[in-house]
Amino acid sequence: MSTNDALLQRYSDSVLGVFGVPPLVLERGEGCYVWDVDGRRYLDLLGGIAVNALGHGHPALVAAVSRQVATALHVSNLFTSPGQIALAEKLLQISGAPAGSRVFFGNSGAEAIEAAIKLARRTGRPGIVAAQGAFHGRTTGALALTAKAAYREPFEPLIPGVSHVPYGDADALRAAVDATTAAIVLEPLQGEAGVVEPPDGYLRQAREIASDAGALLIVDEIQTGVGRTGAWFGFQHAGIIPDAITVAKGLGGGVPIGALVTFGDEVSGLLRAGQHGSTFGGNPLAAAAGLAVLETIESEGLLAHSTAMGEHLARSVRASDIDGLTGVRGQGLLRAITLREPISAAVAAAGRAAGFIVNPVAPHAIRLAPPLIVSEQQVTSFVNVLPELLQEATR
């Protein structure tokens, strides 16, 4: 029995099985590569599901976290730290938030959504409109906004007042929003649904619908934010100003952190002292990591690189004319390669055997969310092996 298999047996015997049994025990990483406990190397084209924005072991992130661990690992949110203040200021700057905007720090995307739900409730209205296909997390509040029945039904009843409309259908959204609606919550791209893109203009229409009804527009940037789509945040492609955004995943580069950014004085004033909190959120370690990630993306030009590598991937796949592929969706380095047959799990397994980590996000779609530092040669190496992976998956 390999070391990998022996450890997975121990995992099965000791860890609650909410994730099923994983296929690999990963031990270390460097750049865009990770190694399992048996020493096999994989090109990481998933990046911890869009978390490892700078890849593995980036010197800037390692140095920032190491310095902070030696200085102050944690202080309670009864106090603050220079890094927490600097990270909040940086998030407000890169999101283009107007004067009066503010940041709340938690530990995850789900916590950011929980804060967004409480923000919506503070309008005094009961309703939240989300989209079919949406994924906003699995804590019980966030789960009410998540659409997938298999995630929801074992835990119903969930919080009341949440409805779901077809994603990308502005007419359906307008019909669902009225004077009882506190907030519309949408993703710029639906990552967990298979990197599904809305029609052009959808977010602008959502902005108008929310404003007409006096409701908040909250954009979930947990997966799409921090440069993933080639802009700092996905909403910026649409040229709108939301009322709030949720951020997590890539923000800490692997160190847990989430954030709710509220836009403007009026929205920021909805949550007051004592109405929300977090023990670990935005602590010195997480803040140091977040600052290092954002400053490195800026200094290394990774927004433009994300756009260029995403376009290279899409062009290469389309030009390859591989039998069994039907297209490429997404923006920047959040992409799905779509399949004619529902064989994504088999393709992902063939990928691992060939040294590539990809995600079978839907039966007909493979999701790619590599580190923003991924090179053209690394992207090409995956496209070149795709025919072999599809052949292996259909045997």
Side-chain angles (χ1 to χ4, degrees):
M1 181 180 287
S2 69
T3 302
N4 190 77
D5 292 344
L7 283 169
L8 289 180
Q9 183 59 57
R10 289 169 56 191
Y11 177 97
S12 296
D13 294 340
S14 61
V15 178
L16 195 65
V18 295
F19 295 103
V21 178
L24 295 174
V25 183
L26 298 176
E27 189 171 47
R28 66 186 178 92
E30 181 179 335
C32 292
Y33 293 99
V34 290
W35 282 260
D36 69 18
V37 288
D38 290 317
R40 290 188 293 260
R41 190 184 80 162
Y42 307 84
L43 179 59
D44 182 4
L45 294 172
L46 185 56
I49 313 183
V51 166
N52 298 106
L54 303 183
H56 302 271
H58 192 288
L61 183 55
V62 171
V65 170
S66 300
R67 276 195 306 271
Q68 194 59 54
V69 166
T71 307
L73 183 61
H74 175 79
V75 298
S76 83
N77 278 319
L78 298 174
F79 305 94
T80 187
S81 64
Q84 185 183 79
I85 296 165
L87 181 59
E89 291 171 340
K90 191 67 180 174
L91 280 169
L92 295 176
Q93 178 220 322
I94 64 175
S95 63
S101 301
R102 297 288 188 271
V103 179
F104 165 79
F105 290 112
N107 305 290
S108 67
E111 279 193 53
I113 289 290
E114 296 291 335
I117 292 170
K118 292 178 80 170
L119 183 80
R121 287 273 176 105
R122 286 287 298 146
T123 65
R125 297 180 176 191
I128 297 177
V129 179
Q132 294 172 6
F135 182 85
H136 298 290
R138 299 176 197 245
T139 52
T140 51
L143 191 57
L145 274 60
T146 293
K148 192 172 182 177
Y151 296 161
R152 297 167 53 88
E153 289 175 353
F155 306 101
E156 290 177 340
L158 300 170
I159 64 170
V162 179
S163 60
H164 292 85
V165 297
Y167 184 61
D169 185 337
D171 291 337
L173 183 61
R174 187 173 290 281
V177 173
D178 58 25
T180 69
T181 303
I184 299 169
V185 181
L186 295 172
E187 300 158 278
L189 297 175
Q190 290 190 325
E192 298 296 321
V195 192
V196 175
E197 299 173 83
D200 287 345
Y202 180 59
L203 276 187
R204 287 198 302 276
Q205 291 170 302
R207 174 68 278 177
E208 293 168 5
I209 292 166
S211 296
D212 290 347
L216 304 179
L217 176 63
I218 299 172
V219 180
D220 182 344
E221 297 277 1
I222 291 166
Q223 191 161 150
T224 51
V226 194
R228 178 56 50 189
T229 68
W232 279 115
F233 299 103
F235 77 82
Q236 292 168 329
H237 292 293
I240 64 164
I241 303 294
D243 294 304
I245 60 173
T246 53
V247 188
K249 288 195 179 289
L251 180 57
V255 176
I257 186 170
L260 171 73
V261 183
T262 57
F263 282 59
D265 272 322
E266 187 176 350
V267 176
S268 300
L270 289 173
L271 284 173
R272 297 177 183 169
Q275 292 183 331
H276 201 46
S278 170
T279 294
F280 299 105
N283 78 6
L285 181 70
L291 271 174
V293 168
L294 298 181
E295 289 171 354
T296 303
I297 289 174
E298 207 163 47
S299 65
E300 296 190 1
L302 295 181
L303 297 184
H305 187 71
S306 174
T307 299
M309 290 303 98
E311 290 174 354
H312 171 66
L313 170 70
R315 271 197 315 272
S316 301
V317 170
R318 288 168 184 143
S320 65
D321 195 27
I322 299 169
D323 188 38
L325 301 187
T326 56
V328 183
R329 298 194 294 248
Q331 288 179 297
L333 285 172
L334 181 57
R335 297 281 179 168
I337 297 173
T338 54
L339 309 168
R340 184 173 299 127
E341 303 294 331
I343 56 170
S344 65
V347 172
R352 289 193 299 276
F356 297 89
I357 292 179
V358 297
N359 174 233
V361 67
H364 288 85
I366 303 165
R367 176 172 50 178
L368 305 179
L372 303 183
I373 60 170
V374 71
S375 71
E376 185 172 310
Q377 182 275 328
Q378 288 167 332
V379 170
T380 301
S381 72
F382 175 68
V383 176
N384 288 343
V385 82
L386 262 173
E388 177 188 324
L389 302 187
L390 265 71
Q391 189 175 30
E392 183 67 26
T394 52
R395 274 184 184 169

